[in-house]
Amino acid sequence: MNTAGHSEATARRGLELTPFRGLRYDPDRVGSLASVTSPPYDVVVRPDGVHHLQSADPHNIVRLILPEASTPSARTEQAADTLRRWLAEGILTADPEPGLYVYEQRDGGGMLQRGVIGALRISEPADGVVLPHEDVMPPVVADRAALMRATRANLEPLLLTYRGNGTTAEVVERTAEKPPLLSTTTEDGFHHRLWAVTDPADLTRIQTDLAQHQALIADGHHRWATYRLLRAEQPSPSPWDYGLVLLVDTARYPLRVRAIHRLLRRLPVADALAAVEGLFRVRRLDVPLAEALEVLADATCTGNAFLLAGDGAFHLLDHPDPDLLARTIPGDRPAAWRSLDATVLHATLLDHVWHIPEDSPAHIAYIHDTTATVAKAERDGGTAVLMHPVREEVVRDLARLGVTMPRKSTSFGPKPASGLVLRALEI
């Protein structure tokens, strides 16, 4: 096995990526392509995020991926009705022939990401084809499953990475030299372009190449778990045997890895600090956020460390009591897992010190944006727990061992914008 990357040629079946007829917005029927896109459903972090996106255009994709209604069943029915109406009105139209899609993102800082969007055959973790690295929350999977059942569609691609640097990358880069199907710049400054690959020879080249590789789930564990759940409900073969993904070759286009922070809604900072007294070293930092994050990064070089915020200052927690860790962290996992900050946060702090249920939205929120996490904690009287990101090679090595990290341990990016191409299962 090649340990230099998380893809390798093996005797087992590899990635099976299938063309599909993408659903895309008719640019003549919407205000602009930028105004109908959204971040992935779990990254809408502004306090007024959904309303902001809805007001950008009456056809913004958020009306499908995060419908607003009084009950869960009403939300899924609303999304299904909205999708049917948009199809009937020609707001969304299917491309004339099946294809794979080359997708590109650029930002003003020189970041370039390219990958291939397609319908990937769903596999089980034991198959070793698609490697998860995080646990999932069953209520979230149930929510996404209800939405997909109602709409009978994959509304946004999840993000997978592999290491190839071969034929697929050559087709991607050659395709990117042609005029795109669409080009738009979203309000976050990212420029997006999309191409269709329909040439049979190119499709075969991509499929043959990817069949030699495995992939790591970078973003979308809950959606992948949803794909697996829905596939198990249907007799095979069926369209549910496949799910919409973006595959990025990180040998050519490395991803950024960021932390996902925690907002403890019902725990004031003073109470959080009182509970850890004598268990962690605590230092108050009266410095700006950027400087506090630098202190956190330095502290993680020598052990577990966290920043607490919400009372107008930052508090560095580090040097945990070794006896506390020995009592609270399971000893039947690899050392790399036991030493993760996310492991210590969940097994030690949340479970044993603060007694906070990690799967209760009323008690805890998982937020990608650092500034937003601090602002929400200060506004609501809760505690922000800021994390330092895990190195990508640690994620990959644990995934290969079949060891999942605590949920929401990492944030790979940039993530694909939602709304550029959808997959309807019956088109």
Side-chain angles (χ1 to χ4, degrees), residues 155-178:
L155 301 173
E156 49 185 347
L158 54 86
L159 175 61
L160 305 182
T161 73
Y162 73 104
R163 297 187 66 81
N165 206 18
T167 305
T168 299
E170 294 170 2
V171 175
V172 165
E173 294 184 5
R174 177 161 39 83
T175 301
E177 296 174 355
K178 302 175 182 178

Side-chain angles (χ1 to χ4, degrees), residues 3-37:
T3 58
H6 58 259
S7 64
E8 51 268 305
T10 65
R12 60 177 173 255
R13 185 184 71 211
L15 299 166
E16 184 180 328
L17 197 66
T18 300
F20 69 105
R21 291 179 64 197
L23 284 184
R24 296 189 294 112
Y25 282 99
D26 182 342
D28 295 329
R29 302 295 302 275
V30 297
S32 71
L33 290 176
S35 68
V36 295
T37 65

Side-chain angles (χ1 to χ4, degrees), residues 322-355:
D323 290 338
L324 172 68
L325 299 184
R327 292 196 310 270
T328 57
I329 295 178
D332 59 349
R333 304 287 185 92
W337 181 89
R338 297 198 305 272
S339 62
L340 289 170
D341 287 338
T343 297
V344 174
L345 173 61
H346 284 259
T348 303
L349 285 169
L350 293 181
D351 289 354
H352 292 274
V353 177
W354 292 329
H355 306 291

